[in-house]
């Protein structure tokens, strides 16, 4: 079986890139034969949620640190690199939970044009209604 790589198909758009990367990550799931001896993703997935959730926390912290550095004259490319690491590990989590980047993009599309303040207030109102029932 040929090992899948992100470069197997040409890049077309950000959504295409995410979908292609998701396909590679999904191929590393234990149920799809992911080999923890040869794949970092398979190793993370084999260790379970604690492993990739820890990485998400670490990468989120590194994004914050890179952004703070950029605010003081640091290299903004480091922000991009750390966000890429964060997104990657979030995609590992999505695969573990049977989700795809398209699910996140659909949610972002749903929120488009909605004030963040209004959206947050609506979520709080819905949560309050659920508690009152």
């Amino acid at each position: 079986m040929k090992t899948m790589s992100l470069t197997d198909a040409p890049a077309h758009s950000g959504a295409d890139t995410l979908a292609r990367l998701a396909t590679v990550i999904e191929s590393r799931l234990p149920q799809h034969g992911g080999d923890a001896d040869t794949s970092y993703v398979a190793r993370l997935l084999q260790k379970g949620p604690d492993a990739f959730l820890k990485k998400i926390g670490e990468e989120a912290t590194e994004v914050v640190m890179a952004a703070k550095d950029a605010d003081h004259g640091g290299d903004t490319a480091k922000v991009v690199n750390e966000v890429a690491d964060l997104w990657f590990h979030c995609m590992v989590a999505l695969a573990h939970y049977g989700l795809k980047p398209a699910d996140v993009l659909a949610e972002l599309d749903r929120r488009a044009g909605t004030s963040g303040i209004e959206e947050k207030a609506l979520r709080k109102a819905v949560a309050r209604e659920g508690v009152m029932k």
Side-chain angles (χ1 to χ4, degrees):
M1 179 170 130
K2 181 182 183 286
T3 302
M4 232 180 245
S5 108
L6 189 55
T7 58
D8 287 343
H12 295 288
S13 74
D16 290 341
T17 300
L18 293 174
R20 285 191 347 267
L21 179 56
T23 299
V24 172
I25 291 170
E26 289 166 11
S27 77
R28 305 301 199 265
L29 287 163
Q31 61 267 35
H32 296 149
D35 183 357
D37 291 331
T38 61
S39 167
Y40 169 74
V41 171
R43 193 172 318 133
L44 269 180
L45 290 165
Q46 183 183 57
K47 290 180 181 178
D50 285 349
F52 58 77
L53 295 174
K54 180 180 176 185
K55 286 300 296 180
I56 290 170
E58 290 171 6
E59 299 302 344
T61 299
E62 290 173 10
V63 169
V64 171
M65 291 168 38
K68 294 296 240 173
D69 287 347
D71 284 340
H72 299 285
D75 185 1
T76 56
K78 289 182 180 178
V79 177
V80 172
N81 291 334
E82 296 303 340
V83 169
D85 290 345
L86 176 60
W87 286 13
F88 175 83
H89 288 90
C90 288
M91 289 179 66
V92 171
L94 288 173
H96 173 80
Y97 295 109
L99 301 167
K100 297 186 178 300
D103 298 317
V104 176
L105 294 173
E107 177 60 14
L108 291 171
D109 281 343
R110 185 192 69 76
R111 294 180 186 186
T114 303
S115 158
I117 294 170
E118 291 172 6
E119 206 271 337
K120 188 173 182 177
L122 178 60
R123 278 188 280 139
K124 284 183 179 180
V126 169
R128 276 194 304 270
E129 285 181 22
V131 170
M132 292 181 185
K133 289 184 181 182

